[in-house]
Amino acid sequence: MDLKMLGWNDHWEQQWSICDRKDTIPARIVGDFGQKYRVITEQNGDTWAEMSGKLQHELDSRSSFPSIGDWVAVQPLAGEDRVIIQGVLDRKTCISRQAAGFVTHEQIIAANVDTLFLVCALNDDFNVRRIERYLIMAWNSGVNPVILLSKADLCSNIDEKLGLLQESAMGVPVHVVCAIENQGFEDVDKYLTTGSTVALTGSSGCGKSTIINWLFGAVLQRTQEVREGDSRGRHTTTHRELFLLPQGAVMIDTPGMRELKLWEDEGGLSLTFADIEELRRSCKFTDCRHEQELGCAVLQAVSNGEIEEKRLLNYHKTLRELKFQAKKEAKSNSKQTKRGTKTHGTRLKGQALVKQLND
């Protein structure tokens, strides 16, 4: 297979040319099954892969391990239907979140994505505040977010929900789609350009797998009905997988999320809440927290109905979460340094993040 069909371009060619990749060939990870991977190479096509012991030893964090969408250097094995991953090319973009549980750990959702479809169903599971969190994750990753409001056939007040979303998605394309009625196909199709990488994310049951089947024109992913009681979905996609669409783009499907814990802030908070960030410049006090202070331009905007109160509350909640996460990361990195563990290549930015979020 020509790797250009999978997104290989001058950027990756240049990166490959300056690396010492003796006895290896480039490949892209198209399936992430934990310890095992599916990759595609130009010479071997679709095949199984696993990391070399040396690479596992060199990589200093789980988030540095190969993930879906990564470009890797692999070593073919003579007479075997598998290859060994010897290196990972630097990521162009990286979508991640804080992994579930109490341990500070970054979980990679997808790498080297150009456009991220944030899928939200237009049923009882529609949630503007959740979409705001997904937008922060998207902006932090460096990808272009696009909101897809799915299952339009189940909604009788689409305009009302679009109105609720308008304030939170300023500057972000929003498309209403329905695979059953073939609604919005042309709106989505324009993002699927040859060589581009598009990923889908959203809560369980929002319709990601259905959208992939719809765009491909055949059943690639299994689907399940949502629960009738609360419109919440059941997990259908259990691993991350990359598909080549007829339009020429590659699409990454990811398992549905029960909750989204943000990993860190790379400016996503300011972009998602740009209206609040802009108004804070007009506050009487430079250290205004937008809670009870006199002369607060943000609180005045809420009082005037210019900003929804729930949006401001979500801003405060998210800011607290990011500060807490940054402190945890800084504390974790400090412990690792004291113990003499490797820190090369890790994200030792906790202290800087705490300062940034407090400014």
Side-chain angles (χ1 to χ4, degrees), residues 279-291:
L279 281 170
R280 68 180 296 181
R281 300 177 183 177
S282 301
C283 291
K284 183 176 181 180
F285 304 103
T286 56
D287 60 347
C288 183
R289 294 181 297 176
H290 324 305
E291 293 176 347

Side-chain angles (χ1 to χ4, degrees), residues 128-357:
V128 176
R129 306 285 81 87
R130 186 192 302 131
I131 293 175
E132 289 174 345
R133 294 177 68 80
Y134 278 108
L135 283 172
I136 293 173
M137 179 185 71
W139 290 126
N140 284 342
S141 69
V143 304
N144 297 313
V146 175
I147 298 172
L148 300 185
L149 299 179
S150 62
K151 304 186 180 184
D153 58 316
L154 302 180
C155 183
S156 58
N157 59 337
I158 294 178
D159 290 340
E160 179 182 339
K161 290 184 176 179
L162 283 173
L164 293 173
L165 186 59
Q166 184 177 8
E167 186 178 42
S168 300
M170 293 177 292
V172 178
V174 179
H175 303 293
V176 177
V177 300
C178 177
I180 294 177
E181 299 180 354
N182 201 37
Q183 178 181 351
F185 184 89
E186 293 183 357
D187 292 329
V188 179
D189 188 67
K190 65 184 180 182
Y191 297 100
L192 309 178
T193 57
T194 301
S196 64
T197 299
V198 179
L200 290 160
T201 191
S203 59
S204 301
C206 66
K208 301 188 304 299
S209 296
T210 299
I211 290 174
I212 287 183
N213 295 338
W214 175 47
L215 296 174
F216 190 83
V219 177
L220 292 178
Q221 295 287 71
R222 293 187 305 110
T223 61
Q224 294 187 49
E225 296 295 327
V226 299
R227 296 194 300 256
E228 293 184 4
D230 57 6
S231 295
R232 301 304 298 273
R234 303 178 180 90
H235 284 290
T236 300
T237 303
T238 56
H239 61 273
R240 295 164 179 81
E241 195 165 0
L242 184 151
F243 302 95
L244 180 60
L245 297 179
Q247 294 89 337
V250 293
M251 178 167 281
I252 298 175
D253 190 17
T254 62
M257 299 183 192
R258 294 298 188 195
E259 63 174 333
L260 172 60
K261 293 183 178 181
L262 298 171
W263 170 242
E264 61 181 27
D265 187 42
E266 298 281 359
L269 182 76
S270 296
L271 288 170
T272 302
F273 294 96
D275 50 347
I276 294 176
E277 291 290 308
E278 180 64 27
L279 281 170
R280 68 180 296 181
R281 300 177 183 177
S282 301
C283 291
K284 183 176 181 180
F285 304 103
T286 56
D287 60 347
C288 183
R289 294 181 297 176
H290 324 305
E291 293 176 347
Q292 296 179 339
E293 297 88 346
L294 294 175
C296 174
V298 176
L299 292 178
Q300 185 61 46
V302 172
S303 178
N304 294 340
E306 298 173 24
I307 293 179
E308 187 181 7
E309 184 177 12
K310 291 181 179 179
R311 178 168 169 79
L312 177 59
L313 292 175
N314 197 37
Y315 171 82
H316 284 311
K317 176 183 176 182
T318 307
L319 185 61
R320 288 194 299 269
E321 178 184 340
L322 288 170
K323 286 182 178 179
F324 178 71
Q325 174 62 29
K327 289 178 180 177
K328 283 179 62 180
E329 186 183 359
K331 185 177 181 180
S332 176
N333 287 330
S334 176
K335 287 182 177 179
Q336 288 181 2
T337 302
K338 289 179 180 179
R339 291 172 182 170
T341 56
K342 292 186 301 179
T343 57
H344 176 69
T346 58
R347 297 187 175 199
L348 298 181
K349 298 185 289 184
Q351 298 287 359
L353 284 169
V354 173
K355 183 179 184 301
Q356 176 185 338
L357 291 167

Side-chain angles (χ1 to χ4, degrees), residues 37 51 55-56 58-67 70 72 87-89 91 94 105-106 108 344-347:
Y37 303 91
M51 281 191 290
L55 181 61
Q56 291 188 52
E58 289 177 347
L59 297 177
D60 47 23
S61 66
R62 185 65 182 83
S63 61
S64 300
F65 283 19
S67 187
D70 268 325
V72 293
V88 184
L89 274 65
R91 291 163 178 157
C94 181
H105 171 59
E106 180 184 16
I108 306 300
H344 176 69
T346 58
R347 297 187 175 199

Side-chain angles (χ1 to χ4, degrees), residues 10-23:
D10 292 341
H11 171 84
W12 302 113
E13 189 68 47
Q14 182 180 12
Q15 192 176 146
W16 183 267
S17 67
I18 62 177
C19 298
D20 181 15
R21 302 301 182 190
K22 185 179 180 181
D23 300 325

